[in-house]
Amino acid sequence: MTVPEEELLLSVHSDTESIKEVEEEPLYEELTALRSQFNEINEESKKLSDKLLKMKIEYMRSLTSNPDSAACRVRRGMTFEIDDCKFHLKAMTSPDYQPLVDNKRIIEKLQERITLMNMELITEREHKEKILKNIKDHLKEIEDKRQKGKEDLKEFEEKRQKEKKQKTEEKPYEIDLYCNHSVTGELVRKILKVHKNELLPSVLDKAYELMELAPHIPIERCRLVQYNYVDKVMDQSFDLDEFQHQTIRQLVLGGAGGYYSFALFLETCKQNETFKKYIYKGIVVDLSTGEVGPAKPMKGYDGWTVVELKQHIGELFNIDSSCMRLVVMKEGTTSIHELRDGHTSKLDGVKKLYVSSDPKDYKKEFKDSLMYRYVEFHINSILLDITLPPGPEATPTTSNVTKRGIIMKIISIIKESDKEKRILVQVSKRTTLAQLKEALVPLVGVQPTGFIVCGYKTKFGSIPSSDHEEYEMEELDETFKDGSKLIVRLGRALRRGEKRIKLYLLQINNTEFCKFMMDTGYAKDTPVREFKKQIIEEAKVLGIDCVLELDKMRLWEKNGVFLGTLYLDHDWIGEAWIGGTTRRIDDTNREIHVYVEPLKGPEKKMLRYKQVQVYVIRWRPSQCSVDSIEEIILDDGYDHEHVIEKLSELSGVPAEYIYYSEHKKFPVEISCLDIENKFEWYSISSYRFSFELYDDGYVLYYKDNRETMKELTYEERYEIRRAEKARLNRIKEIKALYSID
């Protein structure tokens, strides 16, 4: 039979409640017992607390009632002290209290002293104020006197200047006056004294009287002319119809040289003759040389035609007027134009008149003529200071005209040396870089593509004249400034991406072992062999006097004048090897300098680290001389027996007789008279741990030890010493010349 779910749940709940009632009955009884015990303990604790309080009160009472207790004694002592303090306080408030009386007396004395000190301070302050007032009054008096003295001095100075000015104004001009004597015709010089404000007619009267021309020549046939007594020429005529209202001061100030160089000439003319005006200066141009002559004052009339002017100039300068060309330049300008026949001269404002006479050039159009080129060049030219490499001889010349009409004139050679020469040249201010290079071709000896022109620029922060940096001029239409300093370098202009490299010819058997070849360019990662081909081609273009063959030439890095890295054909130009590592020289931002060495045969060194190139010089003691420099290639640079073996193969001397010196850098500076004694010599039997020669380009001396030293006579020793001294001095000069490159 199935029981319903609800009835089942009610039955379970009823059982649970019954269990709870059974469990709670003993717990309640236990709790009631514990509460009863707590109440009993609490009541007992309260009783004990009350008892303790009563005991404390009784104890305190016992202390008060006992006079011998410690507390009682302390209390009595404190009472006595309090009473004593009260007594003293009462005494101190009494007017008769002695300490108080003393203090009052002290205070009164102090107050009296303070009063006296205040009075003294007031008196002192008044005294100081009086002194300050006296000082101010004294300073004011001094300042007034100084101002008065200053005003008096100013008044005196003004008076003195006024008197000086008055004296100066009153002081006459003292002018040199020249005149041809009316009787003897000799040139006479006298001092003409005139006041600066005198008019020209008055000055003429005094000059006429001073020269004592009356009665030989009337004053109407006289006039004054500004005279250049240095060149003995007339500069300007002072005609009365034009200058009669001007003072001598105005004429002096209008002169070119000022008062101290101003001179007058009393000019005369014949009867029935009229004076001609000195209105311009004639300058003759020699078209055969391009020389522009000195200016000479000329007489003339404003109304003259060009033909009349030419006839007059032809007579004056003794030149043919039929093929004469006249070129004028207006004052204050640099432009020129030609005066053509059939016109009036129109010389207003013209101060210089250029003249030439050449039948061939006269037929040309003005701007196509040499006359135009030379005059225009003369007026619009600048000077350039140019340093040239060794080349054709340069001498001061007349003006040279190139095929394109470029004019360049060598003014002077400033300095010459084996390495370079400096010249001062005159060129047109419109000359471009391309035109200058064309004009320099005869002086450099190569075509414009074979050399470059460099200028100088001042480094940042430096004095312009003390520190300049060279730079290559690349813009062909670039012009120059007057006084520019330039330097010409052999070599072509750089192409895009190239860097500059300087080449020097290395001649090991020549006293002048180093010689500049040219500047050129190299591209990054150019193989050495390809660069050698480039050098050969460019050397031919430049006409360099040196035989170069591709397989018979060697390139060295140039360190000062010494030899650096030896470049092999499979290397790249622009690299240096240091301690077995490769470093690009161009990465260090320094210019590359390279030696080019011609060889007698093909290059023998093929390996960089396993072979060492050595120059060797045979010393012959029996002759007191040396042979030409040769070379050996060592396969083991650490074994001195290997060195002796190579020297024996080269010389044919048995190895046991070979002696060699310590290695030296090229070039070696030692006299033949010192080789035997100043070197240490090593043989195959010498003890030496390691030869230690691992760099190329060093020099060894060696000898046949069987030779005995030659005994020199005095004359022989003297001649050798003299020759060796000259040779060593020349080596020093070459080192000094090229060590700074």
Side-chain angles (χ1 to χ4, degrees), residues 174-187:
E174 295 184 358
I175 301 173
D176 287 340
L177 178 66
Y178 296 84
C179 181
N180 290 324
H181 194 274
S182 58
V183 178
T184 63
E186 294 180 356
L187 183 66

Side-chain angles (χ1 to χ4, degrees), residues 37-88:
Q37 291 177 5
F38 175 76
N39 291 334
E40 290 177 359
I41 292 171
N42 193 19
E43 288 178 1
E44 186 176 356
S45 176
K46 185 177 180 183
K47 289 178 180 179
L48 290 173
S49 179
D50 293 341
K51 185 177 180 180
L52 181 62
L53 180 60
K54 289 178 180 180
M55 291 175 67
K56 184 177 180 180
I57 292 171
E58 289 177 359
Y59 176 74
M60 293 299 294
R61 287 176 180 174
S62 66
L63 289 176
T64 305
S65 61
N66 187 4
D68 295 328
S69 64
C72 188
R73 288 197 298 271
V74 170
R75 189 176 291 109
R76 283 199 303 271
M78 292 178 65
T79 302
F80 289 151
E81 288 182 5
I82 292 171
D83 292 340
D84 186 58
C85 288
K86 288 180 179 179
F87 173 78
H88 284 292

Side-chain angles (χ1 to χ4, degrees), residues 260-279:
Y260 293 102
S261 61
F262 188 83
L264 291 173
F265 192 99
L266 185 59
E267 187 181 22
T268 62
C269 65
K270 297 179 181 180
Q271 192 173 3
N272 299 325
E273 184 183 11
T274 58
F275 287 111
K276 296 178 182 178
K277 293 182 180 181
Y278 293 100
I279 55 175

Side-chain angles (χ1 to χ4, degrees), residues 34 55 143 191 239 258 270 356 387 579:
L34 289 173
M55 291 175 67
E143 180 64 20
I191 302 299
D239 298 277
K270 297 179 181 180
S356 69
T387 300

